[in-house]
Amino acid sequence: MISQKMADRINLQINREMFSAYLYLAMAAKMTNLGYTGIARWLTVQYHEEMFHAMKFVRYLEDQAAEVKFDAIAVPAFKENDPKSLFQHVLEHERWVTASIREIMELAMAEKDFATQNLVQWYIDEQVEEEKNAMDILQTIDLLGNTPQGLFMLNIELGKREPSIPLDYTKI
Ligand code: FEO
């Protein structure tokens, strides 16, 4: 059993994770338009990762017999149309998600909600990985001099990304 306040906060996070998925899907479409199909693949895999994050919270609410509420998902607005500035946006977005996850942990600690603390620790660890992924790509872009040739190579490399999570959400 979790508090109503916690259920509401987790429902908000489900919305934020789905917004993240929507944002990365929109970014993938933009990169495809620009010919960066490998980067688009990386972003599409990231879309699936975000849906996994959302669905993991959904399952948790269900397991706790709390109501799942799906709210409207915001328009994924972004202006970037080159890989470097796009991944800077990705990094900023992930830092925002990290702060949001920390809020849930702070609430769980204040409420002595040990089950939610245990769950959210997974997301805390995941956010270290999420930020690192974006920082690594930005570092690679800088090492390659942010040149057309370098971005061409990066595009090939990122196109090799495979999902590391189950795509069948009934298995979460
Ligand atoms: Fe669900 Fe990229 O954080």
Side-chain angles (χ1 to χ4, degrees):
M1 182 82 186
I2 58 173
S3 70
Q4 187 58 50
K5 190 174 177 183
M6 180 58 79
D8 290 346
R9 185 58 185 77
I10 291 176
N11 272 310
L12 173 63
Q13 192 64 32
I14 289 168
N15 186 273
R16 288 179 175 176
E17 299 292 345
M18 288 193 174
F19 171 70
S20 301
Y22 208 26
L23 174 66
Y24 294 139
L25 201 57
M27 286 178 168
K30 169 63 77 175
M31 287 294 108
T32 297
N33 284 156
L34 294 174
Y36 292 112
T37 53
I39 294 175
R41 178 180 172 83
W42 189 97
L43 289 160
T44 303
V45 171
Q46 191 60 32
Y47 154 80
H48 286 296
E49 294 263 344
E50 300 302 345
M51 287 303 296
F52 176 81
H53 297 167
M55 293 306 295
K56 191 174 171 73
F57 274 126
V58 168
R59 294 285 170 264
Y60 180 68
L61 289 184
E62 290 170 346
D63 289 347
Q64 291 278 13
E67 189 178 357
V68 178
K69 293 180 187 165
F70 292 121
D71 208 343
I73 300 173
V75 173
F78 66 95
K79 296 190 288 286
E80 296 81 3
N81 59 9
D82 70 280
K84 182 172 179 178
S85 55
L86 185 110
F87 278 105
Q88 282 169 334
H89 188 143
V90 170
L91 178 57
E92 281 168 28
H93 182 76
E94 288 304 330
R95 286 176 172 159
W96 172 74
V97 175
T98 299
S100 184
I101 293 288
R102 283 174 59 96
E103 285 177 10
I104 305 176
M105 181 60 101
E106 284 164 6
L107 178 61
M109 290 170 75
E111 293 190 352
K112 295 187 169 51
D113 176 347
F114 301 117
T116 302
Q117 285 178 38
N118 197 37
L119 174 81
V120 174
Q121 186 59 52
W122 182 88
Y123 288 89
I124 299 264
D125 296 342
E126 179 73 2
Q127 282 310 119
V128 174
E129 186 73 21
E130 295 278 85
E131 290 189 28
K132 180 184 183 321
N133 287 343
M135 286 189 293
D136 283 352
I137 291 169
L138 283 167
Q139 188 176 44
T140 301
I141 291 172
D142 284 342
L143 286 171
L144 293 168
N146 199 17
T147 58
Q149 295 88 346
L151 293 174
F152 182 79
M153 286 166 57
L154 178 77
N155 181 58
I156 292 171
E157 198 55 34
L158 294 187
K160 297 174 186 169
R161 188 179 188 192
E162 296 290 341
S164 60
I165 39 85
L167 299 183
D168 179 352
Y169 302 132
T170 63
K171 292 182 177 158
I172 297 171

